[in-house]
Every structure is written in structure tokens, then in C-alpha cells.
Amino acid sequence: MNIGMLYAATAYALWGIFPLYFKSLQEVPPLEILLHRMVWSLAFVVVVLAWRRHWGWLRGVMRQPKVLAGFAASAVLLSSNWFIYIWAVNNGNVVEASLGYFINPLFNVLLGSLLLRERLRVVQWMAVALAACGVAWLTWHGGHLPWIALLLAATFAFYGLLRKTASLGALEGLALETLLLFPVAFIYLAVLASQGHNSFITASTSTQLLLAAAGPITAIPLLLFAAGARRIPLSLLGLLQYIGPTIQLLLGVWLYHEPFGGARLAGFALIWGALAVYSLEGLWQAWSRKASSA
């Protein structure tokens, strides 16, 4: 239990400090960062799979078109989420990006209701409604929808929905997704190189190393998360997930000095209130089930 909490909390903390990494690559266009993330993530997971001698699953998967199609869809969603996040961070929208991961759990609940026919309890509907009020307030105050936050939440929620029913674990799933993305990334980078626009070739050694580090930086938190998720209750995992966006928010406000005045704080407060209602209701339900089975 304790080691599971440590694994999960470390994963969320690492995701929380992602802005520091992407900000250090501001000289590289977001699309190129994304392409390198695809390539180097595959390279890293191949090394891990080779070390573990864990290849048997790949042969079976390659004979299952439906599984490949599902992971192709999840790869598109994952890469879209990555690109939106990278673009947001490097264009001064760390605070709004954090909002996307604050509202993501409520997006998951809504998708479960709409697509999986899961019945929401009254308090869960109250949490969704409260979060909707927060988004509406931010829209009215800012003059436009917080589209970065909504797209991040939506792409990650749909990605989670696909992975929920997938037959592969975290490492194998990431390996297959990056394997499917690799040809597109490699060809695009080759075309950029032929045109003299590949930033990796002209970048400093430190930038090249940072781009290559995208592999372990992407995979390690995911593996820690998977290890933690197997060891702790889902309700506890749900509470720990707010570590990431909280760190991102603090970085956006205190380190990068993004605007976070009273009106914006009010919108976030509504969403935090929704998350508190949702989390406390989930804990109460878990406690009730435990008490009734004792």
C-alpha cells in the first residue's frame, strides 16, 4: 500500500513538472517536439522490452486487426493530447492546461454516463453541474471557451476510455501506440531534414539531449503509475491524481507569472468545489461498501 502510494504520487508529481521540461525546449517548434517524443518513446520502451525479454505479446497482437485499430485510435488521441499540451505550455497557457487535468475526472464520469450507460448518482450529477458552472464562468469572464482545457480533458478522457477496454498493459500499450506512430514521425522528420528545417540537427547538444530524453520522461511516469495503480484502491488513486495539475497550476502562476486574478480564481474555485464533492462522495461510497461487507 505505502509503496503503491509512493509510485502513484511520484508519477503524478513528474507529470506535474512537465512544463519545466517543455519550456526548456521553446526553441523547437511544438510539432517537432511531438515527433521526437514519439520516436524516442518508442526507442526507450524497446530497450525496456529487450531488457525484460518481453516480446511474445507483439506477435499475437499483429494478428488481431481489431486490436490494432483500437490502438491506432488511442495513438491518435494520445498524440493529439501531447501536441495540445506542448503547444499550450510553450505559448504561455500552463494555467489553462492545468485546468484540463482538473476537469478530466469529471469528463470521465460524463463519458461513462453517455457512452457506457453508467448510472450517475445524484451527488455525481451535482459535481458535473458545478464544474459546468465553473467552465461557463471562465467562458463569460474570458470571452471565449477555455478550449485548451476542454480539448486536453476530452482527448485524455476518450483515450482513457479506449485504454480501459484494451487488452494490453501500460508498457505494451505505449510500445504499440508509439510503434504505430513511428512511421509518420520518422518520415516527417526526414522531410524536415531534407528541407533544412529539422531543429534537432541545428540545435545545441543540450537541446538534442533534452529531445532524446523525451523517451524516458514519457515512459517512466506511466510505468510508475501502472505499478501504483495495481497496489492501491481506485478511490485513493483518484485523490492522488490532483497532484499533477496542482503542481502545474503553481508553476504557471508563481514561476511563469501567468494571470490568475480574482475572476479566474472564482471559476477554478467552482471546479475545485466540484472535484471535492465528487471525491468525497466516492470515498463515502467506498467506505459504505466496505462497512456493509464487513
Side-chain angles (χ1 to χ4, degrees):
M1 180 74 160
N2 289 336
I3 194 67
M5 289 178 62
L6 179 62
Y7 286 152
T10 302
Y12 284 123
L14 290 173
W15 281 324
I17 62 174
F18 264 18
L20 298 174
Y21 171 69
F22 291 119
K23 284 284 190 182
S24 68
L25 290 170
Q26 281 190 300
E27 65 185 85
V28 182
L31 181 58
E32 284 190 56
I33 298 175
L34 172 67
L35 297 174
H36 279 284
R37 194 175 184 186
M38 296 173 183
V39 170
W40 294 109
S41 294
L42 177 61
F44 182 79
V45 295
V46 164
V47 170
V48 175
L49 289 171
W51 175 63
R52 296 177 60 183
R53 298 181 182 179
H54 184 48
W55 301 104
W57 61 272
L58 189 57
R59 184 180 302 173
V61 166
M62 289 301 178
R63 298 172 180 170
Q64 301 178 58
K66 288 185 178 180
V67 174
L68 289 174
F71 273 93
S74 68
V76 170
L77 286 168
L78 181 62
S79 58
S80 299
N81 182 271
W82 284 356
F83 176 75
I84 295 165
Y85 185 80
I86 294 166
W87 183 92
V89 168
N90 285 352
N91 282 273
N93 292 289
V94 175
V95 170
E96 188 168 334
S98 74
L99 176 64
Y101 293 104
F102 275 123
I103 63 178
N104 174 251
L106 299 174
F107 253 78
N108 292 335
V109 170
L110 201 55
L111 283 183
S113 174
L114 296 176
L115 301 181
L116 302 181
R117 306 299 182 189
E118 295 177 354
R119 288 189 175 184
L120 298 190
R121 297 180 290 272
V122 174
V123 177
Q124 289 178 315
W125 277 118
M126 289 172 58
V128 171
L130 195 57
C133 289
V135 172
W137 170 261
L138 291 170
T139 301
W140 180 81
H141 169 68
H144 60 84
L145 278 170
W147 63 270
I148 294 172
L150 294 175
L151 284 175
L152 283 172
T155 52
F156 202 67
F158 278 105
Y159 172 74
L161 184 66
L162 288 178
R163 288 304 306 271
K164 180 179 180 180
T165 56
S167 56
L168 299 180
L171 176 63
E172 297 85 354
L174 181 63
L176 183 56
E177 287 162 348
T178 50
L179 181 63
L180 293 170
L181 293 169
F182 178 79
V184 176
F186 182 80
I187 291 170
Y188 202 111
L189 288 171
V191 170
L192 289 176
S194 68
Q195 297 174 347
H197 298 307
N198 191 322
S199 300
F200 185 84
I201 297 173
T202 59
S204 63
T205 302
S206 60
T207 298
Q208 290 175 338
L209 291 173
L210 282 171
L211 285 170
I217 284 172
T218 296
I220 288 173
L222 187 67
L223 298 177
L224 286 170
F225 169 78
R230 289 194 296 267
R231 290 171 168 85
I232 62 176
L234 191 61
S235 57
L236 179 56
L237 192 68
L239 291 177
L240 292 175
Q241 71 184 314
Y242 302 124
I243 293 173
T246 300
I247 294 174
Q248 292 173 29
L249 175 63
L250 295 175
L251 288 174
V253 175
W254 288 341
L255 184 60
Y256 301 122
H257 308 293
E258 293 184 15
F260 196 67
R264 199 173 194 185
L265 175 61
F268 269 74
L270 285 169
I271 292 164
W272 290 332
L275 293 173
V277 169
Y278 168 74
S279 300
L280 290 172
E281 195 270 348
L283 289 173
W284 172 258
Q285 290 293 329
W287 180 85
S288 299
R289 285 192 296 269
K290 186 177 180 180
S292 61
S293 61

